[in-house]
Amino acid sequence: MNTIGTTAIAMWLTGDLWRWDVVPLLLWATLPFNLLIYGVNDIFDQETDALNSRKGGLEGARIAASESRRILAAVALTNVPFVVYFVVALPLDALAWILAYIVIFVQYSAPPLRFKARIYLDAVSNAAYAFPLVFVPLAFGESPVWGAAIGLMAWSVAKHTFDAVQDIDEDRAAGIVTTAVRLGPERAALWSAVWWSVSTVCFAFVNIPVAVVNALIAGWLLLRLRRDPTPTGARRLYRYSIAFPYAAGSVAGIQIVAALLLGVYS
């Protein structure tokens, strides 16, 4: 959802329902890039994942140290061919954003930068989830829809901190000072509110219904957390937070179907 979804949306925002030159980017956004993000994360988070009750199931793996080498090999084997192709086939501006996409997600988990353990950078680095909205149109020789791109960057910053509230106790025990740990639940909610407000304003320049739904869902989540501003309260809200992009995306999807029926897409 976080990778192939944004890649597909980026294509639609250029005005095309489908184009064959998006296939390499779409394929990369399935298993290869997700393996890079979460495989690298699992390798460098082994100690903290072992202490986190959420890990070991649907919300994340616990790996053994002996698996690290195989995971790194799989990341390289699945990603290097695509990167080589992008270097050869794509314009430099698109390639620069793709390389930034890769470096930021690797350095989120891996040393020396390890953004996830650095206050504010842990949240701000998650803006990279929106980068396909920039490099996909650039790969096509089109201009990005910056309202959508910047809006999704802000949205991702907000959601990262909101979701991290549930892990405050585990992160603090592991000695990791995240934005949520430093701010605490109540101020972390305020931080998320600011970024979700920015995203709503940006989305409004692109699509009013999506902006309205974004504001309603974000506001509901924040109000619920305010009633129980604790890691436990945030954990109860996590399943709704997971559904957030699916609900907002459905509003966009309904409009795409309507556009098809009305002949907007040929």
Side-chain angles (χ1 to χ4, degrees), residues 48-130:
T48 54
D49 286 347
L51 301 173
N52 194 331
S53 60
R54 291 198 301 117
K55 303 299 181 178
L58 181 64
E59 296 180 25
R62 289 195 187 108
I63 68 165
S66 60
E67 295 177 281
S68 296
R69 185 171 296 179
R70 281 182 293 163
I71 293 173
L72 282 176
V75 168
L77 287 171
T78 55
N79 282 272
V80 169
F82 284 99
V83 174
V84 171
Y85 171 79
F86 297 151
V87 169
V88 173
L90 298 185
L92 286 177
D93 49 3
L95 182 62
W97 280 90
I98 287 173
L99 293 178
Y101 192 47
I102 294 169
V103 169
I104 289 171
F105 277 116
V106 169
Q107 288 298 294
Y108 176 81
S109 302
L113 297 180
R114 193 161 162 78
F115 295 134
K116 74 164 293 172
R118 298 179 184 272
I119 185 174
Y120 303 124
L121 287 177
D122 64 327
V124 173
S125 63
N126 271 254
Y129 275 112

Coordinates of all heavy atoms in Angstrom, one line a residue, residues 48-130:
T48 N 15.4 -4.3 19.8 CA 14.2 -3.7 20.2 C 13.0 -4.5 19.9 O 12.0 -4.5 20.6 CB 14.1 -2.3 19.6 OG1 14.2 -2.4 18.2 CG2 15.2 -1.4 20.1
D49 N 13.0 -5.2 18.7 CA 11.8 -6.0 18.3 C 11.6 -7.1 19.3 O 10.5 -7.6 19.6 CB 12.1 -6.6 16.9 CG 11.9 -5.5 15.8 OD1 11.3 -4.5 16.1 OD2 12.2 -5.8 14.7
A50 N 12.7 -7.6 19.9 CA 12.6 -8.7 20.9 C 11.9 -8.3 22.1 O 11.3 -9.1 22.8 CB 14.0 -9.2 21.2
L51 N 11.9 -7.0 22.4 CA 11.2 -6.5 23.6 C 9.8 -6.0 23.3 O 9.1 -5.6 24.2 CB 12.1 -5.3 24.2 CG 13.5 -5.6 24.6 CD1 14.2 -4.3 25.0 CD2 13.5 -6.6 25.7
N52 N 9.4 -5.9 22.0 CA 8.2 -5.4 21.7 C 7.1 -6.4 21.5 O 7.2 -7.3 20.6 CB 8.4 -4.6 20.4 CG 7.2 -3.6 20.1 OD1 6.0 -3.9 20.4 ND2 7.4 -2.5 19.4
S53 N 6.1 -6.3 22.3 CA 5.0 -7.4 22.2 C 4.3 -7.4 20.9 O 3.6 -8.4 20.6 CB 4.0 -7.2 23.4 OG 3.4 -5.9 23.3
R54 N 4.3 -6.3 20.1 CA 3.6 -6.2 18.9 C 4.3 -7.0 17.8 O 3.7 -7.4 16.7 CB 3.5 -4.8 18.4 CG 2.6 -3.9 19.2 CD 2.2 -2.7 18.4 NE 3.3 -1.8 18.0 CZ 3.6 -1.6 16.8 NH1 2.9 -2.1 15.8 NH2 4.6 -0.8 16.5
K55 N 5.6 -7.3 18.0 CA 6.4 -8.0 16.9 C 6.3 -9.5 17.0 O 5.9 -10.0 18.1 CB 7.9 -7.6 17.0 CG 8.1 -6.1 17.0 CD 7.6 -5.5 15.6 CE 7.9 -4.0 15.6 NZ 7.5 -3.4 14.3
G56 N 6.5 -10.1 15.9 CA 6.4 -11.6 15.9 C 5.1 -12.0 15.3 O 4.7 -13.2 15.4
G57 N 4.4 -11.1 14.6 CA 3.1 -11.4 14.0 C 2.8 -10.5 12.9 O 3.7 -10.0 12.1
L58 N 1.5 -10.1 12.7 CA 1.1 -9.3 11.6 C 1.8 -7.9 11.6 O 2.0 -7.3 10.5 CB -0.5 -9.1 11.7 CG -1.1 -8.2 10.6 CD1 -0.9 -8.9 9.3 CD2 -2.6 -8.0 10.9
E59 N 2.1 -7.4 12.8 CA 2.6 -6.0 12.8 C 4.2 -6.0 12.8 O 4.8 -4.9 13.0 CB 2.1 -5.3 14.1 CG 0.6 -5.2 14.1 CD 0.1 -4.5 15.4 OE1 0.9 -3.8 16.0 OE2 -1.0 -4.7 15.8
G60 N 4.8 -7.1 12.4 CA 6.3 -7.1 12.3 C 6.9 -8.3 12.7 O 6.4 -9.0 13.6
A61 N 8.0 -8.6 12.1 CA 8.7 -9.9 12.4 C 9.7 -9.8 13.5 O 10.2 -8.7 13.8 CB 9.5 -10.4 11.1
R62 N 10.1 -10.9 14.0 CA 11.3 -11.0 14.9 C 12.2 -12.0 14.1 O 11.8 -13.1 13.9 CB 10.9 -11.6 16.3 CG 10.2 -10.7 17.2 CD 10.2 -11.2 18.6 NE 9.4 -10.4 19.5 CZ 8.3 -10.8 20.0 NH1 7.8 -12.0 19.7 NH2 7.6 -10.0 20.8
I63 N 13.4 -11.5 13.8 CA 14.3 -12.4 13.1 C 15.5 -12.9 14.0 O 15.8 -12.2 15.0 CB 14.9 -11.7 11.8 CG1 15.8 -10.6 12.2 CG2 13.7 -11.2 11.0 CD1 16.6 -10.1 11.1
A64 N 16.1 -14.0 13.6 CA 17.3 -14.4 14.3 C 18.5 -13.8 13.6 O 18.5 -13.5 12.5 CB 17.4 -15.9 14.3
A65 N 19.6 -13.6 14.4 CA 20.8 -13.1 13.9 C 21.3 -13.8 12.7 O 21.9 -13.3 11.7 CB 21.9 -13.0 15.0
S66 N 21.1 -15.1 12.7 CA 21.6 -16.0 11.6 C 20.9 -15.7 10.2 O 21.3 -16.1 9.2 CB 21.4 -17.5 11.9 OG 20.0 -17.7 12.1
E67 N 19.7 -15.0 10.3 CA 18.9 -14.7 9.1 C 19.4 -13.4 8.4 O 19.0 -13.1 7.3 CB 17.5 -14.6 9.4 CG 16.8 -15.8 9.9 CD 15.4 -15.6 10.3 OE1 15.1 -15.1 11.4 OE2 14.5 -15.9 9.5
S68 N 20.2 -12.6 9.1 CA 20.6 -11.3 8.6 C 21.3 -11.3 7.2 O 20.9 -10.6 6.3 CB 21.5 -10.5 9.6 OG 20.8 -10.3 10.8
R69 N 22.2 -12.2 7.1 CA 23.0 -12.3 5.8 C 22.1 -12.7 4.7 O 22.2 -12.1 3.6 CB 24.1 -13.3 6.0 CG 25.0 -13.3 4.7 CD 26.3 -14.2 5.0 NE 27.1 -13.6 6.1 CZ 28.2 -14.1 6.5 NH1 28.7 -15.3 6.0 NH2 28.9 -13.5 7.5
R70 N 21.2 -13.6 4.9 CA 20.3 -14.0 3.8 C 19.3 -12.9 3.4 O 19.0 -12.7 2.2 CB 19.5 -15.2 4.2 CG 20.2 -16.6 4.1 CD 19.4 -17.7 4.5 NE 19.0 -17.7 5.9 CZ 18.0 -18.4 6.5 NH1 17.2 -19.1 5.7 NH2 17.8 -18.4 7.7
I71 N 18.9 -12.1 4.4 CA 18.0 -11.0 4.1 C 18.7 -9.9 3.3 O 18.2 -9.4 2.3 CB 17.4 -10.4 5.4 CG1 16.5 -11.4 6.1 CG2 16.7 -9.1 5.1 CD1 16.0 -11.0 7.4
L72 N 20.0 -9.6 3.7 CA 20.7 -8.6 2.9 C 21.0 -9.1 1.5 O 20.9 -8.3 0.6 CB 22.1 -8.4 3.6 CG 22.0 -7.4 4.9 CD1 23.4 -7.4 5.5 CD2 21.5 -6.0 4.5
A73 N 21.3 -10.4 1.3 CA 21.5 -10.9 0.0 C 20.2 -10.8 -0.8 O 20.3 -10.4 -2.0 CB 21.9 -12.4 0.1
A74 N 19.0 -11.1 -0.2 CA 17.8 -11.0 -0.9 C 17.5 -9.5 -1.3 O 17.0 -9.2 -2.4 CB 16.6 -11.5 -0.1
V75 N 17.8 -8.6 -0.4 CA 17.6 -7.2 -0.7 C 18.4 -6.8 -1.9 O 18.0 -6.1 -2.9 CB 18.0 -6.3 0.5 CG1 18.1 -4.8 0.1 CG2 17.0 -6.5 1.6
A76 N 19.7 -7.2 -1.9 CA 20.6 -6.8 -3.1 C 20.1 -7.5 -4.4 O 20.1 -6.8 -5.4 CB 22.0 -7.2 -2.7
L77 N 19.8 -8.7 -4.3 CA 19.4 -9.5 -5.5 C 18.2 -8.9 -6.2 O 18.0 -8.9 -7.4 CB 19.3 -10.9 -5.2 CG 20.6 -11.7 -5.0 CD1 20.3 -13.1 -4.5 CD2 21.4 -11.8 -6.3
T78 N 17.2 -8.5 -5.3 CA 16.0 -8.0 -5.9 C 16.0 -6.5 -6.2 O 15.2 -6.0 -7.0 CB 14.8 -8.2 -4.9 OG1 15.1 -7.6 -3.6 CG2 14.6 -9.7 -4.7
N79 N 16.9 -5.7 -5.7 CA 16.9 -4.3 -5.9 C 18.0 -3.8 -6.9 O 17.7 -2.9 -7.6 CB 17.1 -3.5 -4.6 CG 15.8 -3.5 -3.8 OD1 15.0 -2.6 -3.9 ND2 15.6 -4.4 -2.9
V80 N 19.1 -4.4 -6.9 CA 20.2 -3.9 -7.7 C 19.8 -3.9 -9.2 O 20.1 -2.9 -9.9 CB 21.5 -4.7 -7.5 CG1 22.6 -4.4 -8.5 CG2 22.1 -4.4 -6.1
P81 N 19.2 -4.9 -9.7 CA 18.9 -4.9 -11.2 C 18.0 -3.7 -11.5 O 18.1 -3.1 -12.6 CB 18.1 -6.2 -11.4 CG 18.7 -7.1 -10.3 CD 18.9 -6.3 -9.1
F82 N 17.0 -3.4 -10.6 CA 16.1 -2.3 -10.9 C 16.9 -1.0 -10.9 O 16.7 -0.1 -11.7 CB 15.0 -2.2 -9.9 CG 13.9 -3.3 -10.1 CD1 13.9 -4.5 -9.4 CD2 12.9 -3.0 -11.1 CE1 12.9 -5.4 -9.7 CE2 11.9 -4.0 -11.3 CZ 11.9 -5.2 -10.6
V83 N 17.8 -0.8 -9.9 CA 18.5 0.4 -9.8 C 19.4 0.6 -11.0 O 19.5 1.7 -11.6 CB 19.4 0.4 -8.5 CG1 20.3 1.7 -8.5 CG2 18.5 0.4 -7.3
V84 N 20.0 -0.4 -11.5 CA 20.9 -0.4 -12.7 C 20.0 0.1 -13.9 O 20.4 1.0 -14.7 CB 21.5 -1.7 -13.0 CG1 22.2 -1.7 -14.4 CG2 22.6 -2.1 -11.9
Y85 N 18.8 -0.5 -14.0 CA 17.9 -0.1 -15.1 C 17.5 1.4 -15.0 O 17.5 2.1 -16.0 CB 16.7 -1.0 -15.1 CG 15.6 -0.5 -16.0 CD1 15.7 -0.7 -17.4 CD2 14.5 0.3 -15.6 CE1 14.7 -0.3 -18.3 CE2 13.6 0.8 -16.4 CZ 13.7 0.5 -17.8 OH 12.7 1.0 -18.6
F86 N 17.2 1.8 -13.8 CA 16.8 3.2 -13.6 C 18.0 4.2 -14.0 O 17.7 5.2 -14.5 CB 16.4 3.5 -12.1 CG 15.2 2.7 -11.7 CD1 15.0 2.3 -10.4 CD2 14.2 2.3 -12.6 CE1 13.9 1.6 -10.0 CE2 13.1 1.6 -12.2 CZ 12.9 1.2 -10.9
V87 N 19.2 3.8 -13.6 CA 20.4 4.6 -13.9 C 20.5 4.8 -15.4 O 20.8 5.9 -15.9 CB 21.6 4.0 -13.3 CG1 22.9 4.7 -13.9 CG2 21.6 4.1 -11.8
V88 N 20.2 3.7 -16.1 CA 20.4 3.8 -17.6 C 19.2 4.4 -18.3 O 19.3 5.2 -19.3 CB 20.5 2.3 -18.1 CG1 20.5 2.3 -19.7 CG2 21.8 1.7 -17.6
A89 N 18.0 4.2 -17.8 CA 16.8 4.5 -18.5 C 16.1 5.8 -18.1 O 15.3 6.4 -18.9 CB 15.7 3.4 -18.4
L90 N 16.3 6.3 -16.9 CA 15.5 7.4 -16.4 C 16.2 8.7 -16.4 O 17.5 8.7 -16.3 CB 15.0 7.1 -15.0 CG 14.1 5.9 -14.8 CD1 13.6 5.8 -13.4 CD2 12.9 6.0 -15.8
P91 N 15.5 9.8 -16.5 CA 16.2 11.1 -16.5 C 16.8 11.4 -15.1 O 16.4 10.8 -14.1 CB 15.1 12.1 -16.8 CG 13.8 11.4 -16.5 CD 14.1 10.0 -16.8
L92 N 17.8 12.3 -15.1 CA 18.6 12.5 -13.8 C 17.7 13.0 -12.7 O 17.9 12.6 -11.5 CB 19.7 13.5 -14.1 CG 20.9 13.0 -14.9 CD1 21.9 14.1 -15.2 CD2 21.5 11.8 -14.2
D93 N 16.7 13.9 -12.9 CA 15.9 14.4 -11.8 C 15.1 13.3 -11.2 O 15.0 13.2 -9.9 CB 15.0 15.5 -12.3 CG 14.2 15.2 -13.5 OD1 14.3 14.1 -14.1 OD2 13.5 16.2 -14.0
A94 N 14.5 12.4 -12.0 CA 13.8 11.2 -11.4 C 14.8 10.3 -10.7 O 14.4 9.8 -9.6 CB 13.1 10.4 -12.5
L95 N 15.9 10.1 -11.2 CA 16.9 9.2 -10.6 C 17.4 9.8 -9.3 O 17.5 9.0 -8.3 CB 18.1 9.0 -11.5 CG 19.2 8.1 -11.0 CD1 18.7 6.7 -10.9 CD2 20.4 8.1 -12.0
A96 N 17.5 11.1 -9.2 CA 18.0 11.7 -7.9 C 16.9 11.4 -6.8 O 17.3 11.1 -5.7 CB 18.2 13.2 -8.1
W97 N 15.6 11.6 -7.1 CA 14.6 11.3 -6.1 C 14.5 9.8 -5.8 O 14.3 9.5 -4.6 CB 13.3 11.8 -6.7 CG 13.1 13.3 -6.5 CD1 13.4 14.2 -7.5 CD2 12.5 14.0 -5.4 NE1 13.1 15.5 -7.0 CE2 12.5 15.3 -5.7 CE3 12.0 13.6 -4.2 CZ2 12.1 16.3 -4.8 CZ3 11.5 14.5 -3.3 CH2 11.6 15.9 -3.6
I98 N 14.8 8.9 -6.7 CA 14.8 7.5 -6.4 C 15.9 7.2 -5.5 O 15.7 6.4 -4.5 CB 14.9 6.7 -7.8 CG1 13.5 6.7 -8.5 CG2 15.2 5.2 -7.5 CD1 13.6 6.1 -9.9
L99 N 17.1 7.7 -5.8 CA 18.2 7.4 -4.9 C 18.0 8.0 -3.5 O 18.4 7.3 -2.5 CB 19.5 8.0 -5.5 CG 20.0 7.3 -6.8 CD1 21.2 8.0 -7.4 CD2 20.2 5.8 -6.6
A100 N 17.4 9.1 -3.4 CA 17.1 9.7 -2.1 C 16.1 8.8 -1.4 O 16.2 8.6 -0.1 CB 16.5 11.1 -2.3
Y101 N 15.1 8.3 -2.1 CA 14.1 7.3 -1.6 C 14.8 6.1 -0.9 O 14.5 5.7 0.2 CB 13.3 6.9 -2.8 CG 12.0 6.1 -2.5 CD1 11.0 6.5 -1.6 CD2 11.7 5.0 -3.3 CE1 9.8 5.9 -1.5 CE2 10.5 4.4 -3.2 CZ 9.5 4.8 -2.3 OH 8.3 4.1 -2.1
I102 N 15.8 5.6 -1.6 CA 16.5 4.4 -1.2 C 17.4 4.8 0.1 O 17.3 4.1 1.1 CB 17.4 3.8 -2.3 CG1 16.6 3.3 -3.4 CG2 18.4 2.7 -1.7 CD1 17.4 2.9 -4.7
V103 N 18.2 5.8 -0.1 CA 19.1 6.2 1.0 C 18.4 6.5 2.3 O 18.8 6.1 3.4 CB 20.0 7.4 0.6 CG1 20.8 7.9 1.8 CG2 20.9 6.9 -0.5
I104 N 17.3 7.3 2.2 CA 16.6 7.7 3.4 C 16.0 6.4 4.1 O 16.1 6.3 5.4 CB 15.4 8.7 3.1 CG1 16.0 10.0 2.7 CG2 14.5 8.8 4.3 CD1 15.0 11.0 2.1
F105 N 15.4 5.5 3.4 CA 14.8 4.3 4.1 C 15.9 3.4 4.6 O 15.7 2.8 5.7 CB 13.9 3.6 3.1 CG 12.5 4.2 3.1 CD1 12.0 4.7 1.9 CD2 11.7 4.2 4.2 CE1 10.7 5.3 1.9 CE2 10.5 4.7 4.2 CZ 10.0 5.3 3.0
V106 N 17.0 3.3 3.9 CA 18.1 2.5 4.5 C 18.6 3.1 5.8 O 18.8 2.5 6.8 CB 19.3 2.3 3.5 CG1 20.5 1.7 4.1 CG2 18.8 1.4 2.3
Q107 N 18.9 4.4 5.7 CA 19.4 5.1 6.9 C 18.4 5.4 8.0 O 18.8 5.7 9.1 CB 20.0 6.5 6.4 CG 21.3 6.3 5.6 CD 22.4 5.7 6.4 OE1 22.9 6.3 7.4 NE2 22.8 4.5 6.1
Y108 N 17.2 5.2 7.7 CA 16.2 5.2 8.8 C 16.5 4.1 9.8 O 16.4 4.4 11.0 CB 14.8 4.9 8.2 CG 13.7 4.9 9.3 CD1 13.2 6.0 9.8 CD2 13.2 3.6 9.8 CE1 12.2 6.0 10.9 CE2 12.3 3.6 10.8 CZ 11.8 4.7 11.3 OH 10.8 4.7 12.3
S109 N 16.9 3.0 9.4 CA 17.2 1.9 10.3 C 18.7 1.6 10.5 O 19.1 1.2 11.6 CB 16.6 0.6 9.7 OG 15.2 0.7 9.5
A110 N 19.5 1.9 9.5 CA 20.9 1.5 9.6 C 21.8 2.6 10.0 O 21.5 3.8 9.8 CB 21.4 1.0 8.2
P111 N 22.9 2.3 10.7 CA 23.9 3.3 11.0 C 24.6 3.7 9.7 O 24.6 3.0 8.7 CB 24.9 2.5 12.0 CG 24.7 1.1 11.7 CD 23.2 0.9 11.2
P112 N 25.3 4.9 9.7 CA 25.6 5.7 10.8 C 24.4 6.7 11.2 O 24.4 7.2 12.3 CB 26.8 6.5 10.4 CG 26.6 6.6 8.9 CD 26.0 5.3 8.5
L113 N 23.5 7.0 10.3 CA 22.5 8.0 10.6 C 21.4 7.5 11.5 O 21.0 8.1 12.4 CB 22.0 8.6 9.3 CG 23.0 9.3 8.4 CD1 22.4 9.9 7.2 CD2 23.7 10.4 9.2
R114 N 20.9 6.3 11.1 CA 19.8 5.7 11.9 C 18.8 6.7 12.4 O 18.6 7.0 13.6 CB 20.4 4.9 13.1 CG 19.4 3.9 13.7 CD 20.0 2.9 14.5 NE 19.1 2.2 15.5 CZ 18.3 1.3 15.2 NH1 18.1 0.9 13.9 NH2 17.5 0.8 16.1
F115 N 18.0 7.2 11.4 CA 17.1 8.3 11.7 C 16.1 7.9 12.8 O 15.6 8.7 13.5 CB 16.3 8.7 10.4 CG 17.2 9.3 9.4 CD1 17.1 8.9 8.0 CD2 18.1 10.3 9.7 CE1 17.8 9.4 7.1 CE2 18.9 10.9 8.7 CZ 18.7 10.4 7.4
K116 N 15.7 6.6 12.8 CA 14.6 6.2 13.8 C 15.0 6.5 15.2 O 14.1 6.5 16.1 CB 14.3 4.7 13.5 CG 15.3 3.7 14.0 CD 14.6 2.4 14.1 CE 13.5 2.3 15.2 NZ 12.7 1.1 15.1
A117 N 16.2 6.6 15.5 CA 16.7 6.9 16.9 C 17.0 8.3 17.1 O 17.7 8.7 18.1 CB 17.8 6.0 17.3
R118 N 16.7 9.2 16.2 CA 17.0 10.6 16.3 C 15.7 11.4 16.3 O 14.9 11.3 15.4 CB 17.9 11.1 15.1 CG 19.2 10.3 15.1 CD 20.1 10.8 13.9 NE 21.3 10.0 13.8 CZ 22.4 10.4 14.4 NH1 22.5 11.5 15.2 NH2 23.5 9.6 14.3
I119 N 15.6 12.2 17.4 CA 14.3 13.0 17.6 C 14.1 13.9 16.4 O 15.0 14.5 15.8 CB 14.4 13.8 18.9 CG1 13.1 14.5 19.1 CG2 15.6 14.8 18.8 CD1 13.1 15.2 20.5
Y120 N 12.8 13.9 16.0 CA 12.3 14.6 14.8 C 12.7 14.1 13.5 O 11.9 14.0 12.6 CB 12.6 16.1 14.9 CG 12.1 16.8 16.2 CD1 13.0 17.5 17.0 CD2 10.8 16.7 16.6 CE1 12.5 18.0 18.2 CE2 10.3 17.3 17.7 CZ 11.2 17.9 18.5 OH 10.8 18.5 19.7
L121 N 13.9 13.7 13.3 CA 14.4 13.0 12.1 C 13.6 11.7 11.9 O 13.4 11.3 10.7 CB 15.9 12.8 12.0 CG 16.7 14.1 11.9 CD1 18.2 13.8 11.9 CD2 16.4 14.8 10.6
D122 N 13.3 11.0 12.9 CA 12.6 9.7 12.8 C 11.3 10.0 12.1 O 10.8 9.2 11.2 CB 12.4 9.1 14.1 CG 11.5 9.9 15.1 OD1 11.5 11.1 15.0 OD2 10.7 9.3 15.9
A123 N 10.6 11.1 12.4 CA 9.3 11.4 11.8 C 9.5 12.0 10.4 O 8.8 11.6 9.4 CB 8.5 12.3 12.7
V124 N 10.3 13.0 10.3 CA 10.5 13.8 9.1 C 11.0 12.9 8.0 O 10.6 13.0 6.8 CB 11.4 15.0 9.3 CG1 11.7 15.6 8.0 CG2 10.8 16.0 10.3
S125 N 11.8 11.9 8.3 CA 12.4 11.0 7.2 C 11.2 10.2 6.6 O 11.4 9.7 5.5 CB 13.4 10.1 7.8 OG 12.9 9.2 8.8
N126 N 10.1 10.0 7.3 CA 9.0 9.2 6.7 C 8.3 10.0 5.6 O 7.5 9.4 4.9 CB 8.0 8.8 7.8 CG 8.4 7.5 8.5 OD1 7.8 6.5 8.2 ND2 9.4 7.5 9.3
A127 N 8.7 11.2 5.4 CA 8.1 12.0 4.3 C 8.5 11.3 3.0 O 7.9 11.5 1.9 CB 8.6 13.4 4.3
A128 N 9.6 10.5 3.0 CA 10.1 9.8 1.8 C 9.0 8.8 1.2 O 9.1 8.5 0.1 CB 11.3 9.0 2.1
Y129 N 8.0 8.4 2.1 CA 7.0 7.5 1.5 C 6.2 8.2 0.3 O 5.6 7.5 -0.5 CB 6.0 7.2 2.6 CG 6.4 6.0 3.4 CD1 6.7 6.1 4.8 CD2 6.4 4.7 2.9 CE1 7.1 5.0 5.5 CE2 6.8 3.6 3.6 CZ 7.1 3.8 5.0 OH 7.5 2.7 5.7
A130 N 6.3 9.6 0.3 CA 5.6 10.3 -0.8 C 6.4 10.5 -2.0 O 6.0 11.0 -3.0 CB 5.1 11.7 -0.2

